[in-house]
Amino acid sequence: MKNIFLLSPSEFAGAIYFPTIEIIFFNKIIDFSDIDTILFTSKNAVDATNKINQEWKKIPVIAIGKKTAERVEELNGTVLYFSEIAYSENITSEIINNFSHRKFLYLRPEKIISTLTEDLKKQNIFIKEEIIYRTDCKKNNNINFGEKPIFIATSPSTVKCLIKNNKIPDNSIFIAIGKKTAQVIPKQFHIVISEKQTVESCFELAKNLKNEI
């Protein structure tokens, strides 16, 4: 029987919770001067900022991803705009076309794979950034994943940490939440990219594959 494993710091009903990363929030001062808009690309960034300084709630937010926007609103922040499609090229285009007059503070993780900041600066858009958290690999036990396990990969780091600390069956199936995540999955595995960039969509796809394959 195929098991569905969720490689995420957050649980989801129906999937086996197997977090491969942990989030480390930094204790630092955030400078909100000279800006009028905050840019968040993940729920983790929202939570890290809220722990450091709740003054962020006074500043409108542009968010990448519906879940990020929902987290902003849950904490009583104001969402100016959010992008359903969580790719940096999409949000870059939206900012250039609709928000180029605003001054941004990008609150981000230690390691990123996008060139969002550089791309906006090339268009003479004011943006500064603060690194407020990092992700570390969890020391998972090398468990028996069973026959043809299905892994829901929610970020490139979740995949890298899984591969680093565990022996993965060659007949494993990976559901990638997006193209960037799919790119780091070793090619010997069966890889499927979810049409929607949500855990819910990935889980529905995993359930269908579990019944079909």
Side-chain angles (χ1 to χ4, degrees):
M1 181 178 179
K2 295 182 285 292
N3 293 316
I4 300 174
F5 295 90
L6 176 61
L7 313 179
S8 169
S10 302
E11 298 186 44
F12 187 85
I16 297 172
Y17 181 50
F18 193 75
T20 58
I21 62 172
E22 57 183 346
I23 310 301
I24 309 298
F25 293 163
F26 295 161
N27 183 18
K28 64 185 303 182
I29 296 173
I30 300 177
D31 180 11
F32 293 112
S33 65
D34 302 324
I35 64 107
D36 57 23
T37 311
I38 292 173
L39 180 60
F40 284 131
T41 59
S42 72
K43 291 194 300 180
N44 292 326
V46 181
D47 289 337
T49 304
N50 195 60
K51 185 175 181 180
I52 295 168
N53 187 341
Q54 297 195 13
E55 289 296 305
W56 71 270
K57 298 177 185 181
K58 299 177 181 179
I59 304 169
V61 168
I62 288 182
I64 294 184
K66 184 178 180 181
K67 292 298 183 182
T68 305
E70 288 176 350
R71 188 60 177 152
V72 170
E73 292 178 337
E74 286 170 4
L75 294 173
N76 298 316
T78 301
V79 176
L80 177 66
Y81 172 83
F82 79 91
S83 172
E84 287 266 19
I85 303 173
Y87 296 128
S88 63
E89 54 265 33
N90 294 88
I91 198 67
T92 300
S93 177
E94 289 292 339
I95 289 174
I96 291 170
N97 292 330
N98 300 303
F99 304 103
S100 61
H101 61 289
R102 303 191 75 92
K103 296 181 179 181
F104 292 90
L105 173 60
Y106 176 21
L107 295 166
R108 69 172 184 84
E110 187 174 60
K111 294 181 180 179
I112 56 175
I113 56 177
S114 76
T115 57
L116 189 152
T117 301
E118 292 79 6
D119 294 340
L120 292 178
K121 285 183 176 180
K122 288 178 183 177
Q123 299 297 319
N124 296 316
I125 293 171
F126 182 97
I127 182 168
K128 61 183 184 178
E129 56 185 19
E130 289 279 0
I131 298 171
I132 55 173
Y133 73 97
R134 74 171 189 267
T135 57
D136 288 346
C137 290
K138 288 181 70 72
K139 301 298 182 182
N140 298 118
N141 294 323
N142 197 359
I143 71 169
N144 181 357
F145 292 106
E147 182 68 17
K148 286 189 177 181
I150 301 175
F151 296 102
I152 297 175
T154 57
S155 69
S157 57
T158 61
V159 176
K160 292 176 182 177
C161 290
L162 175 74
I163 302 299
K164 177 181 178 181
N165 290 326
N166 300 275
K167 181 175 175 58
I168 310 304
D170 290 336
N171 60 5
S172 297
I173 302 165
F174 280 80
I175 309 297
I177 202 167
K179 294 183 291 185
K180 298 291 187 182
T181 300
Q183 288 172 0
V184 304
I185 300 171
K187 302 306 179 187
Q188 74 262 30
F189 300 120
H190 183 174
I191 305 168
V192 182
I193 303 176
S194 176
E195 289 186 7
K196 294 183 179 179
Q197 293 178 292
T198 65
V199 174
E200 290 89 342
S201 179
C202 290
F203 182 68
E204 287 302 314
L205 183 55
K207 284 198 302 182
N208 292 336
L209 286 173
K210 181 177 180 179
N211 295 328
E212 293 173 3
I213 297 176

